[in-house]
Amino acid sequence: MPRRRAARPAPVRRGARHGRHGRLGRSEVVRPPLAPLDGRIDRFDLVVGTAVEFLRGSWSELEEVRFEIGAMPLREVDGEVPRWYIDREHRRIVLFRLPIERLLPPGHDDAAHRRMAIEGAVFRAAAEYVGREPWDLGHDH
């Protein structure tokens, strides 16, 4: 006759706050690292920084120019919301994030069009600063 095995006891169910060994979770000091931030502001900063790096490498007139990012301009100019502000006296260009990102034509509010709008604003602002046309700022200038 075959031997029967003794029935195993059912595993003890513990609350969600206990780990697999029945102890509480680790303290807050040793949490796993947080995922990198990836919001609209971070993506805007990255696209602006990449375009500025390219322009500074191509045009010596822009090496000393400080590019800044502002949320929104203080007032309209000629009935339109400006996308950037140029201050030649202090050698700076301020790009306004909200008008650049949110005043896109209907149907163009996706990641690719948003990136093109940001890069286009950087190039147009830099071109206005140096007194050239935006398409003159490319590699084949």
Side-chain angles (χ1 to χ4, degrees):
M1 241 187 190
R3 278 179 107 177
R4 292 179 136 197
R5 289 186 172 188
R8 289 185 178 173
V12 178
R13 302 259 178 193
R14 293 182 177 92
R17 66 188 185 107
H18 291 281
R20 69 178 214 191
H21 297 292
R23 294 185 297 247
L24 292 174
R26 295 179 182 250
S27 70
E28 295 179 8
V29 176
V30 279
R31 285 188 178 189
L34 296 174
L37 298 176
D38 188 33
R40 281 189 174 206
I41 296 172
D42 300 317
R43 286 189 297 266
F44 188 89
D45 288 345
L46 179 65
V47 173
V48 168
T50 305
V52 167
E53 185 177 322
F54 168 79
L55 289 170
R56 284 186 176 151
S58 300
W59 291 90
S60 60
E61 296 101 311
L62 296 171
E63 287 178 2
E64 299 297 320
V65 176
R66 191 173 66 216
F67 286 80
E68 299 175 3
I69 297 173
M72 192 73 184
L74 296 176
R75 60 185 173 284
E76 292 182 1
V77 176
D78 298 328
E80 291 189 19
V81 179
R83 307 308 200 262
W84 60 82
Y85 168 75
I86 293 177
D87 183 2
R88 285 186 176 83
E89 181 181 335
H90 295 104
R91 288 186 278 165
R92 70 184 188 129
I93 297 172
V94 181
L95 298 157
F96 299 115
R97 184 181 66 82
L98 293 175
I100 292 171
E101 285 189 328
R102 298 209 176 148
L103 296 178
L104 295 172
H108 291 86
D109 190 25
D110 57 18
H113 285 98
R114 199 173 299 116
R115 181 179 179 97
M116 287 188 289
I118 296 167
E119 288 174 345
V122 173
F123 271 72
R124 289 192 309 271
E128 184 179 328
Y129 184 87
V130 296
R132 298 183 192 270
E133 294 297 322
W135 49 83
D136 291 341
L137 298 180
H139 275 297
D140 299 328
H141 53 270

